[in-house]
Amino acid sequence: MKKRIAVLFLGTSLALAACGGGSDDKGGDSTQSAETIAKQNCSTCHGGNLEGAGGPSLQKIGSKYSKDEIRDIIANGKGAMPQNVIEGEDADKVAEWLSKKK
């Protein structure tokens, strides 16, 4: 029983740490594409093709949320998603890119 709880705790910790695995540069690299930024910061939870993994699918997220709503979710988190997974200009790029996925 204790081993099962330890494994669950470790797995959850790794998943949450991976979701927040961006750089410490608040401004972001303006030469990176939104897709690259999303793959680096979101694929652990949302899948390599945004098909959903631990988190929901983002393949058609633009049909559900506007760019501003997606930006708000990135900034404030939602459900198990932590806040500020992506920040600054990078978050704006990703929100715009995701809003076009319909």
Side-chain angles (χ1 to χ4, degrees):
M1 178 79 167
K2 287 182 182 181
K3 185 176 182 179
R4 201 179 278 172
I5 292 171
V7 170
L8 178 64
F9 179 78
L10 180 60
T12 303
S13 297
L14 289 173
L16 290 175
C19 286
S23 73
D24 289 336
D25 179 11
K26 303 294 184 203
D29 180 354
S30 62
T31 61
Q32 278 191 312
S33 72
E35 183 174 5
T36 300
I37 296 164
K39 283 188 182 219
Q40 290 174 342
N41 295 281
C42 309
S43 63
T44 301
C45 297
H46 295 286
N49 295 315
L50 306 178
E51 72 279 7
S57 171
L58 300 179
Q59 290 179 334
K60 295 182 180 184
I61 197 70
S63 63
K64 185 174 182 180
Y65 297 111
S66 70
K67 174 187 170 189
D68 291 336
E69 290 170 320
I70 294 170
R71 179 65 175 92
D72 184 65
I73 292 168
I74 293 169
N76 298 308
K78 182 171 182 169
M81 180 177 160
Q83 63 185 11
N84 295 316
V85 172
I86 307 169
E87 296 180 314
E89 187 179 307
D90 286 352
D92 293 334
K93 281 185 191 180
V94 171
E96 182 172 350
W97 179 69
L98 287 173
S99 71
K100 295 176 183 174
K101 298 205 159 289
K102 302 195 184 219

